[in-house]
Structures are given as C-alpha cells and as structure tokens.
Amino acid sequence: MLAEERRQRLSAAMHEAGIDCMVLYGNAWQGDYLRYGADFGILEGHGLALVSAAGEVELFLDSATDAERAEIEAPGVRVHFAAPIAPAVGARLDRMANARLAAAPRRFLPRWLTDTARGFALTDATALVDRLLMHKSPAEVAAVRRAARLADEAYVEFIRAVRPGRRQYEIVADIEAYLRGRGCPDNFMIIGSGGKDVLGMAPPSERRIAAGDLVTTELTPAVQGYFAQICRTLVVGKANEAQRRAFAVYVEALEAGIAAVRPGARAADVAKAENDVFRKHNLGDYTTSQWTRVRGHAMGLFADSKPHILEDVETVLEPGMTLIVHPNTYHPDAGYIVLGDALVVTETGAEVFCQTPRELFEVAA
Amino acid sequence: MRRGLIARSPTELPDAVFDARLDRLRAAMRADHLDALIVYTNNTLPAGVSWLAGFVPYWSEALLVVPLSGAPYLVAALSFRVKSWIEQVSRLGDVLHTPRIGLKAAQQIAATQPAAAVGIVDFDGLSAGIADDLREGGPGLVLRDASMIFENLRARADPAEIALATRAAEIAHRALAAAQGASLNAMLAKAESTARELGAEEIYLAAAPDLERQTHFIRVEGEAALGKSFALRATVAYKGAWVRLVRAFCESTVAQEAAAQFARAATLLPSARGFSGFQSWLIEGCRMAQPLDALLGSRLTSASPLPPGALVSAQGVLAIDGRTVLVGAPVLLGQSGEAASLLVDPSFD
C-alpha cells in the first residue's frame, strides 16, 4: 500500500528529526503534503492532518462534504469535520503542548495556528517533507509511470478533439470525459491556440480553433494522486516552414535537457542545457521570466512540485526523482510552443515515460 | 485545479453588478473606519474575489485589494505572462505580479497611507506566510479581521448571482440527466462532458455506488461496482456561482417520493423542521470565500444562521418504504415572510 509506505517513511523521518507530531496542511491547489501523510485528495476547503511519530493520523477538514468523503476514502484515519478549522486543531495541539510539534508547509497554515499567543509552537518541517516528496519510492515511481501512460493516451484523444470551429473549452471537455471514462478523476490542463499573438497557455476560453493555429497543451492526469505531464504542440493544417524551423529548436532543447538529467546534476544544469540551445539560435531572450515560467519541474502528488528547473535552482538530482523537462516558451517566428516529457532520474541518467513522438502534429484544417 | 470555462460575460455579470457590490462594500468599510480591504483567493477559496471582481484563479493564489476609493487591484502569484488573461476574465484596475503577494499588497497600501486601517476577510484563516509578509510590507498598517463585514454583504444573493446559480443548477441537471452508460465511469464521463460543454467553470462528480451498503459520496478512481440503487452528485460552478445537485438511481416511485419530500422540506427553509424525518441532512452556502460552507445539518454541532435571500444547497438521506435514497438541490431562501424555492427540479424521471 502506497499510503502505508509513505506513512512509514514519514514516521522514520520524524523519529530522526525528533518530531512527535507533524501538522500537514493541504487544499485543492496545494494538496501534496496533506496527501502524503493522510492519503486524502482534498477538493474543498482546508485540511490539516496531525500525524504522530507512531503513524496515527487525525484529519481535520472544514468542508462537511469532504469530511464525509474522507470517512470512506481515507481508511485508518480519524476524520473530524471542523469549521473553523484552526481553533479545532489548536485545541488538539493544546493537549500536546509538551510534545515536539512541527508543520509543513508552515507558511500555508492558518495564521491563527502560528500566532505567538498560542500555547504551542510549530517548528517548520517543510524541508523535511519536501525531501520525502521529491525522492519517490519504486511504488510511487510506478504510479507516475502509469499516469504518464494515461497522458500519452489522452494526447491521442486531444489530437482527435481539435477541429476548426470548436471552442477551446469543448476540446478540454472531451479530454476530461475521456479521463473520467478511464477512471481518472483528476487532471491539470491548460491550453493555448492561435498564432504569434498567443504568449502562453491558460484555462480554456471560448476562442474557436482556426486553420493555421498552433494548439498547445499541458496535460497532467493523476493516478492514485500522482501527476504526470506531457506537453505537445500541433498545427491545424500543414505546418509552415517557420513553424517547423521553430519547433526543431524545442526538440533540440528537450533532448539537451533530458541528456543533462543524471544523478549529481543540479536542476540548474538541466535548465542551462535547454537554454543554451535557445541561446545558440539567438533566442536567449525567450528563456527569461518575461516569456517562460520554468524549464520543467518535478511531479508527484502535486503537478508542479519542487525542484523547479531553472538556472538558479541548485537542487541536486537523485535517482527516484520524477520530473518533466519542458523548454516551453514563445518563439518570435511562430508563437508559443510547448514540448515536454515526463521522466524519472535513474542511477545512470533518465528513463523517459512519455511515448508520444516529439513531433509537430498536424490535424485537418 | 480549475479547467473549465473561465470567461467574463458583460450580459451575465455587467459592470453595474460589480459597481453595486463595491458601493455596498465601501459603505460598510466607511462605517467600520477601514481604508482598504483585502480578500484572499485560490481555487479552493475563490468566492470572495470572484464576487467582487469576477476573477477565479485556475491555480496559484492572489490578494484582491479594495481601496476606499479607486479601482480594486489584484496582487497575484501567477506569472506576468497570464496578465492579459486575468484582465480579460476579470474587472480590475490593475494586476501586479509577485511571488510574495502579502508583501506587495502591504507595500502598495502603505505607499500612500502608511498607517492605513486594513480589513482582511477571514484573517485568522489567512496563510501564515502571507500574514507575515503583510506585516513586513506595511509595518505601520493596522490589520484587523473584516469577516463580519464581508459575510453580511455576501449573504443575500443579488439578481445576477441568482441567475448564475440558476444556470449552474440547469447545467448540473442536464449533466446528471445525461449520466448514462454501461458502467459508473461511462456515466460519469457523460456527465463530465455535458457540464463542461455547457460552459461549467468546474464540475466535481461524486458517487454513492451502492445505497444498500453506504450513503457517503466518494470520488471514484478506477472502477466501482454499482449496486441496485446508487446516486450521483454534481457540484457545478458557473461564473463563480456554486451549486450541488443529487440524482438517485432507484425505483422511480421511490425517487419521486424522495424528491417530493425534499421539495417540501427545502421550501420551509430557513426552518429546518422539514428535514426532521431525514436520516441525515446538510445545508451549505457561501459565507466568505469558500463556495459551499456547511451552515446547518444533522451532523453539525453548531449552526450558522441562514440569512433571508441567501442561496444554499441542501442534501439529505431518506428512507422510503425501507429503501435508502439520496436527494439534494440548490435552494433560494425567501426574504422575510416568503417561502424558499428550488432552483431546479430535483427529480429526473
């Protein structure tokens, strides 16, 4: 059981750090810390899990609907509906005031719990949990691998769904339905369509697909809470020469980034390998934060986990880290282009999970 | 993370609606001697900022700053590249981008009024990191909780919000009506695509796959076996308005009787006496930023008052002729002396 394995790893880390009770915060945006300890995928409101060093878990939720769901979906966890949540958790922590208490991510906790007027103090254990989140066990890696396979399959559906005249949100509806039909309840997905006027991706809009559009997507389904991402770009109609030339830069950058992935390399090395390709093609300006957010990131219980792949991130890569390398950015001759593959860091380099060809797909105009 | 249609509609949410809400808010701020008000948003807690500015973050977080005079502005952790998207889907004076939204918001307020009185909606629930940054960015600012002010304004739905919630309820009904197929996942897929094609901003689908064994709704991952009777629940958002609707799949006479009993109970709200015959029941509605807060229910140890004119979603468990059935729908509470009304028919046959 993944949940039990995670709880044992957390307990071991808490013992080593001298922590008696860990408070894990989560919401539907940033739910990975909570899910790690409580194995609950929160959808509504705030959640706080109290995990003892012995591995016992109490889960406080301020959504009655989610609390009801947790009673079934999180077996072995004592669930409390508590609104407002902070005083309820505070009352529980008051009874443990002499214990060594920690929290992750501490900066996300409701302010009330960190107020100096409280009778307990919560040290920041974010880095401790971050290490656990980053270094996946073989079972966790297997879940990411299955999610990546699902991402590949969903991208085939995406290619089918893109047709001139359809609106962006109708395309996303097809993909969400496809994933639902496969028993996958969670996905992160953004989309872009158009030409050189498009600077990035966003949630789906009412914009209609037109001949000549570049259509970009990040598709990120989850399996047992573990996300895996694929990024691809297609053209509606035949790709023109400028689009083909531009896309070749991204293929080269992605290959360079993946080649830089190996144990001991830093996240910065991967980003530099990708960006050097753009610099070589006199596109260095488009590797800055004005045009691109990150050159990849880790994936796991959160779709956008640490470390981010950027030239100033010193995190050292180790076997078991699951990442996406994606040199997504704007190209002045073609518009916004995305290309990225999910992978795991192995003992010798990287195992790429995504099987979808790295090509500029074309659909009928 | 949100992945439905997020779009601004000048017909469904005209500027005048936002202006009227801001006018009411500013009158309350003046009465409470506040120079500015801050509302937090992320995709879990979107309902405060969407009500004031139409903005719903698909991920990440932001603070809306409402000065006593001048246009509200957003301080967002989303990157600069989505500035134009935010401006397209929202009504804002400006959007500022920074990873430390508390620091920037406080600096902006303090730049013109270093000792401003700043109200914060749900200050106790605000992230500790943001609260620390607010103090760092504006050491002279007087920060205090403004939950009551906002809750009082937010409680009664205005006509625009009622129209949006009614549309959300229609989408939910059509999604659940479309839920057909050989397996539970096939049914969920139909409901999902129907809601999203109708422009839902979000849909959360849950199932109680076998009512003879369990009445709790779960989010289905993988495949779940269906019992003879089961239920689906759609939680739908449409342009910031959230509703829940339940469809029971059971003998039609049982489903019809459940819907009738539910309708009688719901229209008696805010009195909960109509739910006395239910095995369990829950009333949810928006108080501040969480779209559907638990307000009243058989399992709740404390109750929040149901204000006249509020939009709520009710759901319950009934036993009819020895069979367990789930039912639920959104309800508009009447003004003083008026009956409540259902936003959509809770029956499907």
Side-chain angles (χ1 to χ4, degrees), chain B residues 10 94 98 145 156 160 169 208 227 229 240-241 268 306 308 313 323 326 336 341:
Chain B
D94 199 2
T98 170
D145 184 66
R156 185 171 58 81
S229 60
L268 292 176
L306 299 182
S313 280
R323 273 156 294 188
L326 304 185
S336 189
S341 55

Side-chain angles (χ1 to χ4, degrees), chain A residues 65 71 73 111 176 224, chain B residues 3 124 126 219 221 299:
Chain A
T65 298
E71 287 173 4
E73 292 184 17
R111 179 194 71 95
E176 293 297 332
Q224 291 181 278
Chain B
R3 50 203 186 271
D124 283 346
L126 188 69
R219 189 158 73 145
E221 176 157 12
R299 296 179 69 188

Side-chain angles (χ1 to χ4, degrees), chain A residues 231-263:
Chain A
C231 305
R232 287 293 186 273
T233 301
L234 61 80
V235 184
V236 182
K238 287 282 175 201
N240 61 35
E241 187 51 33
Q243 289 168 333
R244 271 196 294 270
R245 266 205 320 270
F247 190 77
V249 177
Y250 293 73
V251 175
E252 188 182 343
L254 176 57
E255 288 170 352
I258 291 172
V261 173
R262 61 183 178 279

Side-chain angles (χ1 to χ4, degrees), chain A residues 25 27-30 35 41-46 62-73 81 83 86 106-115 166 169-170 172-174 176-178 180-190 199-206 222-225 227 288-294 302-304 336, chain B residues 1-8 40 42-45 58-61 77 79-82 84-85 99 122-132 135 183 185-186 188-190 192-193 196-200 203-206 214-223 233 235 239 242 244 280 282 284 290 292-294 299-302 315:
Chain A
Y25 173 83
N27 60 39
W29 165 44
Q30 188 94 45
R35 181 130 196 187
I42 187 169
L43 267 181
E44 301 185 42
H46 302 279
D62 67 1
S63 158
T65 298
D66 257 18
E68 181 190 272
R69 192 163 61 81
E71 287 173 4
I72 305 296
E73 292 184 17
F81 163 67
R106 191 179 183 280
R107 70 177 196 89
F108 273 67
L109 291 184
R111 179 194 71 95
W112 191 91
L113 283 174
T114 62
D115 195 293
R166 295 200 82 195
Y169 71 87
E170 294 169 332
V172 172
D174 281 7
E176 293 297 332
Y178 173 79
R180 266 287 176 190
R182 299 289 310 274
C184 170
D186 208 356
N187 175 39
F188 171 67
M189 185 172 178
I190 46 180
L199 301 181
M201 294 181 291
S205 72
E206 293 168 301
V223 169
Q224 291 181 278
F227 291 89
T288 63
S289 61
Q290 185 184 348
W291 301 99
T292 181
R293 189 178 66 90
V294 290
F302 182 43
D304 184 37
Y336 195 75
Chain B
M1 280 148 280
R2 197 82 64 242
R3 50 203 186 271
L5 175 62
I6 298 175
R8 188 172 171 201
Y40 174 83
N42 64 23
N43 67 345
T44 297
L45 301 168
Y58 60 103
W59 80 328
S60 198
E61 57 186 352
S79 73
F80 176 80
R81 294 171 314 113
V82 291
S84 63
W85 173 76
D122 191 17
F123 193 21
D124 283 346
L126 188 69
S127 304
I130 295 174
D132 291 345
R135 288 194 197 91
S183 67
N185 282 336
L188 293 171
K190 282 279 190 194
E192 181 103 28
S193 65
R196 292 187 185 278
E197 282 170 8
L198 290 168
I203 176 165
Y204 296 151
L205 286 163
Q214 180 60 255
T215 59
H216 283 25
F217 280 104
I218 57 166
R219 189 158 73 145
V220 177
E221 176 157 12
E223 187 58 84
R233 183 180 64 206
T235 302
K239 292 188 169 55
W242 288 71
R244 292 197 213 278
S280 68
L282 175 67
E284 298 168 292
Q290 193 163 315
L292 292 166
D293 263 320
R299 296 179 69 188
L300 271 52
T301 51
S302 63
Q315 54 183 315

